[in-house]
Amino acid sequence: MKRLFSAFVLAMLMLSAIGVALAAPKTTASTLRLEETEGGAVFLSDINGKELSVLRGMRLYSGHQVATGAASYAYLSLDDSKAVKLDANSKAQVKKSGKRLEVKLSAGELFFNVTAPLKSDEDFKLRTSTMVTGIRGTSGVISQTVNRAEIYLLTGSAEVVYTDTSGVRRTAAIRAAQKATVETVADLSGPETARMTVRALTEEDVDGFAALEVAADEALQRQIQQETRLSVPLIVTNAAASLEADELADEAESLRVETDASDTTAREAAPLFNVDGTVVIGDGRVATAPGPVLDGDTITLTDAVTAAALRDALERYDNVILDANCAATVEAGQSVTIPADGTLINRGFLIINARNGALHNEGVFYNEGTVNNYSFLYQSYSGALTNTGLINNIGGAMSNTGTLLIGNNGRLNIDANSTFTNSGIVTDSGMMTNHGTVNNHSSYALNNYSALTDTGTINIVSGALNNTGTLLVGNGSRLNIDANSMLSNSGIVTNNGTITNNGGLNNTGTVDNTGGTQIDTGTITVR
């Protein structure tokens, strides 16, 4: 599915490398363009998510997002010396402020080629959900999956910034013929962090679509030979075979991405937020929620803040703080997105209004105040929400596919007319109270470190509920464990309602059914 650039794009890369004027419309240092597309599934949207028409050679503006489907590709010129090719089934956003340029990859992979070193006053970054890479005259490939980001260099050098497992922000330098991998660490003693490994790049590591670019660019071949010990002839010779292997591997990935995109579209259109997922709440350890660590430009908002003002602040600044006196409202019919590289800290009062108001978190969200959700609070797989305050889901729908940490003093309340659906990780060392419906539909576990009170319905479907704290199933309430699921208890379960076990029950703690009913058609293990 990863095919060669069109002849136009290849010519553009080679000509730009030697300073020859391009056949395409002339770009300047301040111009971003979508120079070329291939295949029928290339999509463009503005900073607010509004879909735009795709025209070759069209100008792009800061905040524009480009997405590709199966067997479709997009080529962006960031200026005369910076080229980016977005691979199939990928999504990226461009940002530009003065001489600061950034490409944020949220899914898939891209090939980048900077043919001239940046000037001292220029800044070019590639960003994923877990790392930031500074580029200054470099070529290579960067990729992003749910739990892993990778970058390898064919030429040049770069600095990779990430947060390690101890919560410390680290900077590591890599050079040509090296590959850096940043993996998410699901450490239940705190928020997700990452670990980084660096190793030598081999010829076999070069993806097929990148190998074809090397094969088509003699100037790039010479650079690789000068800077590394990689066998360029071997990369070129194996390009077609590597591409074929990539196509086979990408078929399954394409199906997953298309399914995710379909689910997202349905949620935004309906929006129902019925995401298959899980809630992870503890293994006996108490998670401590750290305070926010801010990097970049910061603005503090006070008094009354509208959705439009909040959107504008998140676009212009890396970090937005709602202070203790702030009352921010996402009005009916309005939507606010925390970008993947952005941070929102709420120390005041944030309201998501009924009638299709929506807050989407793709970045980092610290709640130290109060959030009242009357409509839709959605967190993508790249999002991280740390709650040390109060979140009230009041007749609304809350969906998490990322990481949610409820700190020691944090509370999450789901009322009788609300739903919480999760396909990510929720760590609770505070208090989670469900009066509505919690749906857990994935292979992740719902783990309770502290206190989980159910007076509604909890459905564990193809997952697990691990209780090491106190789990109360209230009078008239239900806990349903399906045939492919497990309830593992090493704490205290008090059942005053109905527990229906069609899967497995592994008990090393206490299960008190005095006031309730337990229906078993599955397996019970008592130790």
Side-chain angles (χ1 to χ4, degrees):
M1 71 183 245
K2 298 176 180 174
R3 295 175 291 181
L4 189 63
F5 272 143
S6 66
F8 170 83
V9 177
L10 290 171
M12 180 179 175
L13 276 172
M14 292 185 287
L15 290 173
S16 66
I18 59 177
V20 179
L22 302 177
K26 179 67 175 176
T27 61
T28 70
S30 61
T31 303
L32 311 175
R33 292 191 185 276
L34 177 62
E35 293 288 357
E36 183 73 14
T37 63
E38 182 178 338
V42 176
F43 308 98
L44 178 65
S45 59
D46 65 15
I47 192 170
N48 296 316
K50 180 181 178 181
E51 189 170 341
L52 304 174
S53 299
V54 175
L55 301 172
R56 295 179 182 180
M58 69 184 296
R59 185 166 181 173
L60 302 178
Y61 294 91
S62 182
H64 276 183
Q65 298 185 74
V66 182
T68 57
S72 299
Y73 310 85
Y75 176 76
L76 285 64
S77 63
L78 309 179
D79 61 28
D80 289 340
S81 66
K82 302 178 188 68
V84 168
K85 177 188 178 183
L86 191 62
D87 191 27
N89 289 328
S90 300
K91 182 178 180 180
Q93 182 182 47
V94 294
K95 285 189 174 184
K96 190 173 182 69
S97 176
K99 294 187 178 181
R100 294 178 58 187
L101 179 64
E102 179 179 292
V103 177
K104 180 173 59 179
L105 180 69
S106 55
E109 57 188 336
L110 62 82
F111 170 80
F112 57 92
N113 190 11
V114 179
T115 59
L118 269 66
K119 297 177 182 178
S120 59
D121 61 344
E122 289 184 294
D123 185 39
F124 177 35
K125 287 184 172 64
L126 297 174
R127 185 184 294 270
T128 71
S129 63
T130 55
M131 71 179 184
V132 181
T133 306
I135 303 297
R136 304 198 67 81
T138 315
S139 64
V141 172
I142 188 169
S143 62
Q144 171 72 64
T145 57
V146 174
N147 296 315
R148 174 181 295 187
E150 292 185 331
I151 182 171
Y152 63 78
L153 301 184
L154 298 171
T155 61
S157 61
E159 287 189 343
V160 180
V161 180
Y162 68 103
T163 301
D164 69 12
T165 54
S166 62
V168 177
R169 198 170 181 85
R170 302 284 188 184
T171 301
I174 62 172
R175 60 181 184 276
Q178 286 189 328
K179 182 175 185 176
T181 300
V182 176
E183 292 184 283
T184 299
V185 179
D187 183 359
L188 296 180
S189 65
E192 283 190 339
T193 53
R195 57 170 169 255
M196 179 178 177
T197 57
V198 179
R199 65 173 178 84
L201 185 72
T202 68
E203 292 82 0
E204 291 76 15
D205 289 327
V206 181
D207 296 271
F209 86 112
L212 289 181
E213 300 310 315
V214 175
D217 191 337
E218 293 183 358
L220 183 55
Q221 292 176 30
R222 289 192 295 270
Q223 258 190 295
I224 295 172
Q225 288 176 327
Q226 292 170 3
E227 297 184 27
T228 75
R229 296 183 180 180
L230 292 172
S231 171
V232 173
L234 184 60
I235 294 174
V236 172
T237 301
N238 290 340
S242 297
L243 179 62
E244 184 177 358
D246 288 344
E247 288 175 338
L248 293 174
D250 286 343
E251 286 181 3
E253 179 66 10
S254 295
L255 179 61
R256 184 192 69 78
V257 172
E258 289 169 6
T259 302
D260 287 349
S262 176
D263 288 345
T264 299
T265 300
R267 288 194 300 272
E268 291 175 349
L272 298 176
F273 296 98
N274 291 326
V275 184
D276 289 345
T278 65
V279 180
V280 177
I281 315 180
D283 66 353
R285 292 174 289 169
V286 176
T288 301
V293 178
L294 303 182
D295 179 36
D297 298 330
T298 301
I299 186 173
T300 299
L301 303 180
T302 61
D303 300 323
V305 176
T306 64
L310 188 53
R311 278 196 302 268
D312 183 67
L314 288 166
E315 165 59 21
R316 293 173 179 270
Y317 294 88
D318 299 309
N319 312 296
V320 177
I321 299 174
L322 307 178
D323 80 359
N325 297 315
C326 182
T329 303
V330 181
E331 300 91 347
Q334 297 293 307
S335 177
V336 173
T337 298
I338 305 170
D341 61 343
T343 298
L344 175 64
I345 302 172
N346 175 43
R347 292 171 179 161
F349 203 73
L350 175 59
I351 300 172
I352 306 167
N353 255 338
R355 300 191 306 279
N356 294 335
L359 176 65
H360 298 257
N361 178 31
E362 298 177 357
V364 177
F365 181 17
Y366 289 93
N367 177 49
E368 301 170 3
T370 299
V371 176
N372 282 349
N373 175 37
Y374 297 93
S375 190
F376 303 106
L377 174 56
Y378 170 64
Q379 181 160 267
S380 74
Y381 70 86
S382 64
L385 168 55
T386 299
N387 176 40
T388 57
L390 173 62
I391 297 178
N392 293 314
N393 202 30
I394 307 171
M398 184 173 177
S399 177
N400 173 55
T401 59
T403 302
L404 169 59
L405 170 64
I406 304 172
N408 294 344
N409 298 315
R411 288 180 293 161
L412 171 59
N413 296 327
I414 303 161
D415 85 353
N417 299 311
S418 301
T419 60
F420 177 79
T421 307
N422 181 58
S423 60
I425 297 176
V426 176
T427 303
D428 174 31
S429 63
M431 180 177 292
M432 180 175 176
T433 303
N434 170 47
H435 301 294
T437 301
V438 173
N439 291 316
N440 173 39
H441 298 277
S442 83
S443 58
Y444 292 94
L446 189 153
N447 299 317
N448 178 34
Y449 287 177
S450 184
L452 171 57
T453 300
D454 173 33
T455 62
T457 300
I458 296 179
N459 297 312
I460 311 297
V461 182
S462 300
L465 192 160
N466 296 328
N467 178 52
T468 59
T470 300
L471 170 60
L472 170 63
V473 180
N475 185 26
S477 302
R478 292 184 177 274
L479 170 60
N480 300 321
I481 306 163
D482 87 343
N484 299 310
S485 299
M486 170 70 74
L487 168 58
S488 181
N489 175 50
S490 59
I492 298 174
V493 176
T494 301
N495 176 32
N496 294 323
T498 301
I499 297 178
T500 302
N501 172 36
N502 295 318
L505 171 58
N506 184 3
N507 180 38
T508 59
T510 300
V511 177
D512 181 0
N513 282 314
T514 303
T517 303
Q518 183 173 323
I519 303 171
D520 291 300
T521 61
T523 302
I524 301 176
T525 303
V526 180
R527 298 176 183 176

